[in-house]
Amino acid sequence: MLYVLSVAVVLLAIGMVALFAMMGELQARFGPATAPPDETVLEVEAKLGETVPVWPVELADVRTASDGLLLVLSASCVSCEDVARELSKNFDPVAGYRTAVAVTASDAKRAQTFLAGHDLPANKVFVDVGGRWVLDSFGVQSSPSALVFSDGTLVSASVFTNPKSLPDIAGSQTVS
Amino acid sequence: MPETVVSLGFAGLAAILMCAGSAKGAVPAPAADGLTELLRPARPVPLWFIRVFASIEIAAAALLMWADTRTIGLVVIAVFGLVFAGLGVAGVVRGGREPCGCFGRAAGRPIGWPNVALGGLILAVAVVLLGLRDSVDPATAPTLLAATAVFVLVAAMWLYRDLLLTVARNQGLVRR
């Protein structure tokens, strides 16, 4: 009997770890509700001045616009969930800029799960599996990040946490 | 070495593997993402692979509880230690940004030196216990199980202390 009880206790302990892990995943995805929005904006290393010959069709607007804004979101970051939520309400966060989104994820299924939670226009969202296109084209590995383009040329790249800072990011573009 | 110390060694080693296996089994995606980024396979590491790996971790830990199966359990765990350390070295060499997904956690450092350290520790403890495996009375299996369960609970509370603190703050048990 003692033996059976001991095994049962171990199983309960293992089950508790699994429960904690699942709660941790929920917290990582949705974050603490009371956390104030962070205004941090940081410029990141990127291939400024770069033009890319081949663009996904979903990002055509950004490529052809005189002022374009590409938002790079990861399917596994909490801030990206916040940004996507804001974009669902207003997909043009910066007046005068054509906006599109690249969602990076380790596989297409994770990206689709991320997109299923937000009402974003499918024709302006590019799923970049493994983040390879964004990395190879512009050297950007961080998210959420805002890439500002002028006539298809990358002029600035910044990591941000609050979508409200996007107009400031677009307004402070630099060319190296 | 006193039998109690050796028994605690078995319980502690089993607890680490049980925690790791249980958490990864419940939340396999972060580990899959971390491994995919590190190994860069043709296709992303599937979630079922992580779950199978996690099941073997738990099974190997369980094998430590009984005298007849301790040897095979220790050999398997020593191999795990080698694998973890090897992946850590690969992570240091290649670099990466995805969290390692250790213990199912979506946040945290990429695969690197901590994995080398933990893998090395697991390997070392397994090798030492391999030489001392006959010094534990087989009749103490229920006690060993109970000690393992306690260690699993303590380890879980340490690994997920941020989560538990958040819950405690929300309940007013801890001052913000």
Side-chain angles (χ1 to χ4, degrees), chain A residues 140-158:
Chain A
V140 170
Q141 301 187 74
S142 310
S143 50
S145 53
L147 279 57
V148 180
F149 293 84
S150 177
D151 294 312
T153 301
L154 181 65
V155 294
S156 80
S158 309

Side-chain angles (χ1 to χ4, degrees), chain B:
Chain B
M1 193 176 290
E3 184 184 347
T4 307
V5 173
V6 178
S7 297
L8 288 176
F10 275 111
L13 187 61
I16 292 175
L17 272 292
M18 282 183 180
C19 275
S22 176
K24 282 203 292 289
V27 184
D33 289 347
L35 267 186
T36 299
E37 187 196 44
L38 176 68
L39 301 176
R40 297 170 204 172
R43 296 165 91 173
V45 173
L47 300 185
W48 65 257
F49 177 82
I50 301 298
R51 289 201 166 107
V52 167
F53 190 92
S55 302
I56 298 174
E57 280 180 301
I58 295 174
L63 291 177
L64 298 184
M65 301 295 109
W66 294 275
D68 294 340
T69 54
R70 227 160 252 160
T71 304
I72 184 72
L74 285 169
V75 169
V76 172
I77 289 172
V79 171
F80 273 136
L82 212 56
V83 168
F84 294 151
L87 288 174
V89 168
V92 170
V93 168
R94 286 189 160 180
R97 63 185 179 112
E98 286 283 344
C100 75
C102 303
F103 300 100
R105 290 183 298 186
R109 294 189 194 127
I111 298 174
W113 285 120
N115 301 89
V116 178
L118 184 61
L121 179 67
I122 289 173
L123 175 62
V125 172
V127 167
V128 168
L129 290 177
L130 204 52
L132 297 169
R133 64 191 184 279
D134 294 328
S135 61
V136 178
D137 183 354
T140 58
T143 311
L144 200 55
L145 282 163
T148 302
V150 170
F151 281 156
V152 167
L153 290 174
V154 170
M157 287 196 290
W158 170 254
L159 287 168
Y160 300 100
R161 58 193 182 280
D162 292 339
L163 178 69
L164 294 173
L165 271 174
T166 301
V167 171
R169 283 195 192 106
N170 282 340
Q171 295 298 319
L173 299 173
V174 171
R175 214 175 295 170
R176 289 178 193 272

